């Protein structure tokens, strides 16, 4: 029975050789588009939304580029999801994993053209992946020495990560900042404790790390702007809330209140003010020094708090208030009838600071001392957005390295090492070597000559040999300080191999018919 008798008229189906061809075209096209961004001298992409010219992004971050694409090819969608997973798990290597998966599929296309069955290719890829990962793990540095030496290794990882980002010019400055911020986490991978604030003005070198939590809001008029605990044993108490602080009315859609005169209207307004006074009184029964609300705080409530010397902060954004409750070790409250059960946050000082022309609020001496804030300065919004993405990648990979201290070498050294370990499985080996070719091509170097010399160096026992992009030759990756997290490289090999094997197994692509809309929808 033909598929036309089974599927709806608007559905389509691709089988056998045609499904493989569709898979290869979609996946390789995505990899080819992204590979020019790989390496320290990779190019950037401009992403412009269809909504208008104001919505554009300039970046070379693989996950950011791919997440903005709208694709129909299912294989391309698999690689986009692969990059997203790499970003969520590790934070870096989002370009490498897609490029490597594309190279594996490119080599598989050639093998299929020579008549090699797909199950044989998949089995070979799985064995080659296991052998390559074994060689990579054996060459890894365990970093079981002093903490000072480990910090230097983290610094080299941050330098390597930032070398391909917009922060490349000031990578030493930002690498130190990222390492200091991650080491404050004490081994945790929860980056919510590190707040990043972007402020226009000055230069990137004027960015700084603040050992406290900074909230990008202003203190209400009439409230104290600087509170400090007189005794460290009795810190300031901060109530974090998400509650309505306007007139406490009954809000029912479509309802109306009718009055016969000004006296009845005044009575309603008086009752609303009384209810708000009662609500403010219930809040202040928590014995607080500062009230932070997710929603607006209207004039009457501000006056009530100011009269009692309580600092009031209104309309804190949801992300900011979530982070604040985390670092202050507080609950976000919406009811205030049981003060004895409420968990109120604490800190040593709350005061207003100026960054450029903007007023912000700084919380110092928070219970979770790992909390800190990175303030980025720059000349344009696009520059600050890309700097934030770059710094986030560095923070993510550093936090994972603190958890798993093993590291490996970059500059194509690990790829060539794994390539020689699986040289008998030539297609997988060639896909790894192609990463080195791409690094050289993006730097404008003679890829054939340099990769050949790198291959010879590793074959001769120089296992730390890598590509020196600056001098255009083969150098020692360890001496050049080009180090990467082992977890990132290992995840790249495993994820790319699994994705390529999964796509190779596909022999039928069925596109369902679009849902029919009923008349009037």
């Amino acid at each position: 029975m033909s598929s036309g008798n089974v599927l709806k008229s608007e559905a389509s189906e691709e089988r056998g050789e045609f499904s493989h061809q569709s898979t290869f075209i979609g996946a390789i096209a995505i990899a080819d588009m992204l590979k020019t961004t790989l390496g320290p001298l990779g190019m950037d992409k401009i992403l412009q939304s269809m909504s208008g010219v104001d919505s554009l992004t300039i970046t070379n971050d693989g996950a950011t580029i791919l997440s903005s694409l709208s694709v129909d090819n299912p294989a391309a969608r698999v690689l986009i999801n692969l990059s997203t997973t790499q970003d969520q798990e590790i934070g870096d290597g989002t370009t490498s994993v897609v490029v490597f998966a594309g190279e594996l599929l490119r080599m598989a296309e050639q093998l299929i053209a020579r008549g090699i069955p797909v199950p044989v290719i998949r089995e070979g890829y799985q064995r080659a992946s296991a052998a390559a990962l074994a060689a990579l793990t054996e060459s890894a540095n365990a970093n079981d020495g002093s903490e000072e030496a480990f910090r230097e290794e983290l610094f080299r990882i941050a330098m390597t990560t930032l070398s391909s980002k917009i922060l490349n010019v000031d990578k030493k400055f930002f690498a130190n900042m990222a390492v200091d911020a991650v080491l404050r986490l004490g081994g945790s991978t929860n980056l919510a404790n590190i707040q990043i604030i972007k402020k226009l003005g000055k230069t990137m070198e004027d960015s700084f790390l603040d050992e406290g939590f900074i909230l990008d809001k202003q203190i209400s008029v009439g409230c104290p702007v600087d509170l400090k605990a007189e005794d460290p044993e009795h810190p300031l108490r901060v109530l974090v809330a998400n509650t309505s602080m306007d007139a406490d009315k009954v809000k029912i859609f479509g309802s109306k209140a009718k009055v016969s005169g000004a006296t009845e209207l005044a009575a309603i307004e008086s009752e609303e003010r009384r209810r708000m006074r009662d609500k403010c009184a219930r809040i202040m029964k928590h014995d607080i020094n500062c009230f932070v609300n997710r929603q607006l705080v209207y004039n009457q409530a501000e006056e009530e708090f100011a009269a009692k010397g309580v600092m009031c902060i209104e309309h804190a954004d949801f992300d900011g208030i979530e982070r604040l409750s985390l670092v202050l070790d507080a609950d976000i409250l919406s009811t205030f009838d049981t003060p004895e059960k409420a968990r109120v946050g604490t800190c040593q000082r709350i005061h207003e600071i100026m960054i450029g022309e903007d007023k912000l609020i700084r919380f110092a001496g928070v219970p979770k001392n790992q909390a800190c804030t990175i303030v980025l300065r720059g000349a344009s919004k696009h520059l600050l957005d890309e700097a934030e993405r770059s710094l986030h990648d560095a923070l993510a990979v550093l936090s994972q390295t603190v958890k798993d201290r093993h590291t490996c070498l970059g500059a194509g050294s690990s790829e060539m090492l794994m390539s020689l370990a699986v040289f008998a499985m030539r297609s997988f080996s060639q896909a790894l070597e192609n990463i080195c070719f791409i690094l050289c091509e993006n730097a404008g170097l003679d890829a054939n000559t340099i990769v050949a010399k790198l291959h010879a160096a590793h074959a001769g026992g120089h296992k730390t040999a890598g590509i020196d992009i600056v001098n255009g030759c083969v150098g020692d990756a360890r001496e050049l300080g080009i180090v990467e997290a082992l977890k990132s490289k290992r995840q790249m090999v495993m994820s790319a191999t699994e994705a390529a094997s999964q796509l190779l197994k596909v022999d039928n692509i069925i596109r369902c018919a679009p849902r029919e809309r009923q008349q009037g929808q």
Side-chain angles (χ1 to χ4, degrees), residues 104-337:
L104 288 176
L105 290 170
R106 195 192 308 273
M107 301 309 299
E109 184 180 19
Q110 298 175 12
L111 294 176
I112 291 175
R114 288 161 54 187
I116 300 177
V118 169
V120 175
I121 300 173
R122 294 181 68 246
E123 178 67 20
Y125 275 4
Q126 294 297 335
R127 292 187 181 185
S129 175
L133 290 173
L136 179 66
T137 304
E138 184 181 353
S139 68
N141 180 10
N143 291 301
D144 51 4
S146 66
E147 291 300 316
E148 189 63 31
F150 181 56
R151 191 194 186 285
E152 286 298 317
E153 192 79 342
L154 290 176
F155 175 74
R156 286 189 283 268
I157 291 174
M159 290 273 286
T160 302
T161 302
L162 296 175
S163 64
S164 61
K165 309 293 184 182
I166 199 171
L167 300 177
N168 180 36
V169 177
D170 303 311
K171 61 183 178 182
K172 289 186 178 180
F173 174 75
F174 284 102
N176 269 316
M177 183 184 296
V179 172
D180 289 340
V182 168
L183 289 179
R184 288 180 61 88
L185 297 179
S188 170
T189 57
N190 186 5
L191 297 181
N193 285 313
I194 302 176
Q195 168 92 322
I196 299 179
I197 292 179
K198 299 171 292 184
K199 286 296 176 183
L200 285 172
K202 295 192 175 182
T203 65
M204 298 299 296
E205 291 183 346
D206 293 305
S207 304
F208 62 91
L209 173 68
D210 189 278
E211 297 181 356
F213 185 87
I214 297 178
L215 188 64
D216 193 1
K217 288 295 171 184
Q218 296 185 20
I219 299 171
S220 297
V221 177
C223 296
V225 295
D226 191 348
L227 296 176
K228 188 174 182 180
E230 297 179 359
D231 183 1
E233 297 296 326
H234 297 87
L236 300 175
R237 291 170 58 84
V238 183
L239 192 151
V240 184
N242 183 10
T243 186
S244 173
M245 294 300 292
D246 58 351
D248 196 1
K249 315 174 181 181
V250 177
K251 297 176 181 176
I252 302 175
F253 181 74
S255 64
K256 295 181 180 180
K258 292 185 178 181
V259 294
S260 58
T263 303
E264 292 183 5
L265 179 61
I268 292 176
E269 292 177 347
S270 176
E271 178 63 18
E272 289 176 348
R273 288 193 295 269
R274 185 193 66 78
R275 290 188 177 187
M276 181 53 62
R277 282 196 300 271
D278 291 345
K279 189 170 188 178
C280 292
R282 292 199 305 273
I283 291 173
M284 286 184 283
K285 281 184 179 179
H286 291 75
D287 189 24
I288 59 173
N289 304 100
C290 178
F291 175 72
V292 184
N293 193 28
R294 168 72 179 83
Q295 302 180 42
L296 290 172
V297 178
Y298 282 64
N299 293 344
Q300 183 189 352
E302 286 183 346
E303 293 170 1
E304 296 285 342
F305 290 128
K308 299 293 184 180
V310 175
M311 181 185 292
C312 178
I313 303 168
E314 67 170 347
H315 211 199
D317 60 276
F318 188 76
D319 183 54
I321 205 169
E322 285 280 340
R323 290 174 184 265
L324 182 63
S325 65
L326 175 67
V327 300
L328 295 179
D329 195 25
D331 290 331
I332 300 178
L333 304 178
S334 57
T335 59
F336 313 98
D337 296 323

Side-chain angles (χ1 to χ4, degrees), residues 60-112:
N60 69 348
D61 181 67
T64 304
I65 294 170
L66 294 180
S67 64
S68 66
L69 299 181
S70 177
V71 297
D72 293 328
N73 187 283
R77 174 54 56 187
V78 169
L79 292 196
I80 291 174
N81 293 339
L82 183 68
S83 177
T84 303
T85 302
Q86 179 81 7
D87 188 44
Q88 293 172 347
E89 292 291 327
I90 308 296
D92 194 26
T94 54
T95 301
S96 301
V97 68
V98 173
V99 172
F100 183 47
E103 293 301 321
L104 288 176
L105 290 170
R106 195 192 308 273
M107 301 309 299
E109 184 180 19
Q110 298 175 12
L111 294 176
I112 291 175

